[in-house]
Amino acid sequence: MTASAVASDSLIAALASVTAVAIFLSVGLWIAVKRPGLGMILFFVLFAFAWRLASVLYIDVFGPIFSDQLASEIGPGVSALPIAMAQGIVVIALLFSFRWERVRQLVGPDESGLASWLPPGRFSLSDLAFLAVALFVVALWLELLIRGPIPLFAGIERFDYSRLHGGPLHHRLLEWGPMLAFQLGIFFSVPLLHNRPSDWRFGVLFGTLILYLFLAGHRFSSLYAYTSFFIMPLGAVLIGREARSPSLGEMLSRKILRWLAAAAVPLSLLIAAAVVYSYVVVRGEGGELLAKLSQRILVQQGEMWWMTFERVFLRGDWDGMLAAYKLFVDPFDPSRNSTMQFLMEQALPVVRAHFIIAQGSAYTGGWPEVFFELGGPVGGFVLVALSAIVFSEFMFLVTRCIVQERFATCFFLTPILFALSVTMVSGMVNSYIQVTFLFKVSVALVVYVTEDKWRSSLVLSPSISGPEKKATT
């Protein structure tokens, strides 16, 4: 093959990758502008999708690029095409689940909220939730101040602090933090459904948790995850307002976007400071800061997908039975994400992969790699479609429960929401075969049915004065 032919093929591959990424990013931008409520609900997933896609495009266009973590060169190619198609399937499923004809059925024209059906004089659920979380947050800060050095000031890596100094409340926060942020977001935003101001007490609690994470040495990933789960209920409330009153919903949308824009500035500065401080002070890599950030931002997000693309799509080297065995039967560490362990074993010498995993670290990626490792270049898309349908329908269920103020169901759906969201970002699938996950699903189903019957009894009960007053006036 002549040099001109090689250059022509490379140009065509680059154009194909750029086109695929441009289409996906354009659709994502359209969702953010035209469907901001949906964009907030899906921010955790869509941001991760866009970042990975940009990284894969960088590898495709500017490769071969040396990867520090893989200790090898990767790219160029057209690896952006299949991952963009997989992400596009998810977006299509979400837009279908959240189509306007269905969204408008979330609320009735005279829906007045759960509070109007309850007899007066009862305790406020939001007050009780605020008191419980406030006590936890105060105890968390006291634990940080009493137990030992503050990681930010002592230059301690967050993993080392958790292992050597972190107390029981700190570990509970690491396990349940994003789910707690989701609950705070519910109580913060639900008053907006009834044209009342947001409950800023829960916003203050959330800000306090973010500051705690910053002092505890956490950087982008934690702050991004907590913020994403906090704004999910805000997006659901916005969708509910738009379904009830499009004009008022549009006004609320502009108001919320101004809030988010104002909050994004200090949060971005906090993240930037945390990242720079970690590299310069904690790790002592100030001289190589730009090179490290380049690897972190442009290479590490897409390198594991490139390895799967090369192995499965280019060489046809995949073994679904082996992947299933390593994912569900014999992972190196069953308590953690088996997907990344398997992918790292495939991409690295096994001894080195196990050493990194044993240190508590893992590379970035996992979705949609896991499905193509299981199903190959064709069956992988089928598995992606199935996961997209499950995820999109579940997100609509969560939105419905928030809009209709099914607080008990929302509480018990939260662990399932976290598991599904993490799967869409990191490909973690081994959690679904655990007995605890099946128990969580069963409990959530029982609570949903029980709460639904209880709400029906409130509506039909003659002792409830709210609906009767409406009927007689």
Side-chain angles (χ1 to χ4, degrees):
M1 183 178 291
T2 64
S4 60
V6 172
S8 177
D9 290 343
S10 299
L11 179 60
I12 293 174
L15 289 175
S17 295
V18 170
T19 301
V21 173
I23 292 174
F24 179 86
L25 295 181
S26 297
V27 174
L29 181 61
W30 179 86
I31 292 175
V33 174
K34 297 296 184 179
R35 304 284 300 273
L38 183 59
M40 293 176 207
I41 294 173
L42 305 176
F43 178 77
F44 181 68
V45 170
L46 292 182
F47 183 86
F49 278 10
W51 191 359
R52 291 207 73 197
L53 202 57
S55 175
V56 171
L57 177 64
Y58 176 78
I59 294 170
D60 276 354
V61 175
F62 296 99
I65 295 171
F66 185 80
S67 166
D68 290 345
Q69 293 191 145
L70 299 177
S72 63
E73 291 189 338
I74 54 178
V78 290
S79 63
L81 282 177
I83 192 175
M85 292 172 61
Q87 293 178 353
I89 290 172
V90 176
V91 171
I92 291 171
L94 288 164
L95 290 175
F96 183 78
S97 293
F98 283 86
R99 59 191 183 275
W100 271 117
E101 295 79 7
R102 198 180 186 197
V103 167
R104 281 193 286 265
Q105 297 174 2
L106 286 174
V107 295
D110 298 324
E111 182 72 35
S112 53
L114 179 62
S116 65
W117 301 103
L118 295 175
R122 295 196 174 190
F123 66 87
S124 169
L125 181 61
S126 61
D127 290 341
L128 183 63
F130 174 76
L131 178 61
V133 179
L135 289 175
F136 171 78
V137 171
V138 170
L140 183 69
W141 275 88
L142 289 175
E143 182 184 74
L144 175 68
L145 297 174
I146 293 173
R147 287 187 64 91
I150 297 177
L152 181 69
F153 302 141
I156 301 176
E157 184 64 70
R158 66 187 188 279
F159 298 118
D160 294 331
Y161 175 78
S162 297
R163 179 170 51 88
L164 300 174
H165 306 287
L169 296 180
H170 176 80
H171 288 289
R172 298 295 81 74
L173 180 67
L174 297 186
E175 292 175 2
W176 300 95
M179 290 174 269
L180 175 60
F182 180 76
Q183 296 298 319
L184 294 177
I186 291 177
F187 288 103
F188 172 82
S189 55
V190 159
L192 294 170
L193 284 170
H194 311 292
N195 295 321
R196 297 197 302 268
S198 301
D199 195 333
W200 282 96
R201 297 177 300 172
F202 295 94
V204 171
L205 287 176
F206 174 74
T208 305
L209 288 178
I210 292 295
L211 182 59
Y212 174 89
L213 291 171
F214 177 70
L215 293 178
H218 288 255
R219 303 189 303 273
F220 171 80
S221 57
S222 296
L223 304 185
Y224 151 67
Y226 279 61
T227 302
S228 299
F229 278 87
F230 180 78
I231 66 174
M232 280 183 189
L234 197 59
V237 166
L238 180 55
I239 285 179
R241 290 299 299 151
E242 291 174 340
R244 184 175 300 165
S245 174
S247 59
L248 293 178
E250 185 177 351
M251 293 174 58
L252 180 61
S253 174
R254 291 196 294 267
K255 182 179 180 181
I256 289 176
L257 291 177
R258 287 196 297 269
W259 287 351
L260 294 178
V265 174
L267 182 62
S268 299
L269 293 176
L270 196 67
I271 291 174
V275 171
V276 173
Y277 185 86
S278 175
Y279 279 107
V280 174
V281 177
V282 177
R283 302 181 183 183
E285 298 175 343
E288 300 179 356
L289 179 60
L290 293 180
K292 293 295 182 181
L293 288 178
S294 174
Q295 285 284 319
R296 179 70 179 90
I297 296 172
L298 298 175
V299 179
Q300 293 176 12
Q301 293 294 320
E303 62 188 6
M304 297 307 292
W305 167 253
W306 168 261
M307 300 302 290
T308 293
F309 169 77
E310 182 187 38
R311 186 169 53 253
V312 175
F313 286 87
L314 298 184
R315 293 193 277 114
D317 181 16
W318 59 278
D319 187 338
M321 293 299 295
L322 173 64
Y325 180 78
K326 296 298 294 183
L327 290 171
F328 302 112
V329 179
D330 186 33
F332 176 71
D333 184 353
S335 65
R336 298 176 59 197
N337 184 356
S338 62
T339 295
M340 287 313 304
Q341 297 177 51
F342 173 68
L343 293 176
M344 290 171 67
E345 289 173 348
Q346 294 292 97
L348 301 171
V350 174
V351 174
R352 183 183 173 209
H354 288 177
F355 174 79
I356 295 172
I357 296 168
Q359 301 303 307
S361 300
Y363 290 175
T364 301
W367 191 99
E369 291 95 326
V370 61
F371 297 124
F372 291 101
E373 296 286 354
L374 286 168
V378 177
F381 284 109
V382 176
L383 295 176
V384 165
L386 292 175
S387 69
I389 293 171
V390 171
F391 177 70
S392 60
E393 284 300 300
F394 182 84
M395 295 305 293
F396 186 83
L397 171 64
V398 171
T399 301
R400 177 172 176 260
C401 290
I402 294 174
V403 171
Q404 297 179 356
E405 300 176 60
R406 300 173 182 265
F407 296 112
T409 304
C410 284
F411 181 82
F412 286 96
L413 285 178
T414 303
I416 307 172
L417 167 67
F418 180 73
L420 286 174
S421 299
V422 169
T423 298
M424 299 303 294
V425 173
S426 67
M428 184 173 181
V429 293
N430 57 314
S431 61
Y432 300 123
I433 64 170
Q434 298 176 0
V435 176
T436 53
F437 181 81
L438 299 177
F439 177 75
K440 293 171 185 177
V441 173
S442 301
V443 170
L445 180 61
V446 171
V447 171
Y448 177 84
V449 173
T450 303
E451 187 173 29
D452 192 63
K453 291 183 177 179
W454 175 72
R455 289 168 62 93
S456 299
S457 67
L458 287 178
V459 173
L460 298 176
S461 174
S463 62
I464 304 302
S465 59
E468 288 183 350
K469 289 181 180 180
K470 290 182 180 180
T472 56
T473 56

